[in-house]
Amino acid sequence: MKLQCDQCNCTFNINELTEIKKEVFNEDVERHYIDCPNCKQKYTTHYENDAIKKLTTEIRLLQKKAPLKVKQKNKLNRLRKKVRMLSDTLRMEVESNES
């Protein structure tokens, strides 16, 4: 996937970037981001807190149990939805506090 930097207009392929960096905002919120290879402008990939980390660990454990039974698939889908919802909420909270 190609991305054009808002700062320097450099176009780069985010799939070729090998390093996703992270910085800690407070005790449990981490910002994961990539840098523009030209000017180092930061682009956020996602935010994580302890609750999201716990759920993603649970998702990984379930995925390792393949093939999954129907109840396990349903649980996996519920966990993924919950992670998306929590991630969206966390992103809005963090970014509204930055402005």
Side-chain angles (χ1 to χ4, degrees):
M1 184 170 132
K2 294 207 180 231
L3 180 70
Q4 184 170 5
C5 179
D6 298 329
Q7 194 78 21
C8 70
N9 293 322
C10 172
T11 301
F12 57 97
N13 189 336
I14 61 171
N15 297 328
E16 293 173 0
L17 299 175
T18 57
E19 186 177 9
I20 296 178
K21 299 176 182 177
K22 70 179 173 181
E23 63 185 8
V24 178
F25 273 105
N26 57 35
E27 292 125 28
D28 79 330
V29 176
E30 295 175 354
R31 174 188 182 204
H32 296 252
Y33 64 93
I34 56 172
D35 287 330
C36 168
N38 188 50
C39 73
K40 306 302 179 204
Q41 172 74 20
K42 295 178 182 180
Y43 291 94
T44 302
T45 58
H46 65 284
Y47 293 95
E48 252 184 355
N49 62 14
D50 291 340
I52 293 170
K53 286 180 192 176
K54 183 179 176 185
L55 290 172
T56 53
T57 299
E58 205 172 331
I59 288 170
R60 276 192 218 106
L61 290 173
L62 258 177
Q63 288 173 328
K64 288 181 182 179
K65 293 182 179 182
L68 298 178
K69 297 176 182 167
V70 174
K71 280 188 176 183
Q72 291 171 315
K73 286 180 184 178
N74 291 339
K75 182 176 182 177
L76 186 60
N77 289 332
R78 281 194 310 276
L79 289 171
R80 286 178 175 154
K81 270 186 185 175
K82 190 167 186 173
V83 166
R84 276 193 300 275
M85 182 201 64
L86 289 173
S87 295
D88 291 345
T89 303
L90 183 60
R91 177 182 286 271
M92 286 188 291
E93 286 174 10
V94 169
E95 293 178 356
S96 69
N97 289 335
E98 286 181 340
S99 331

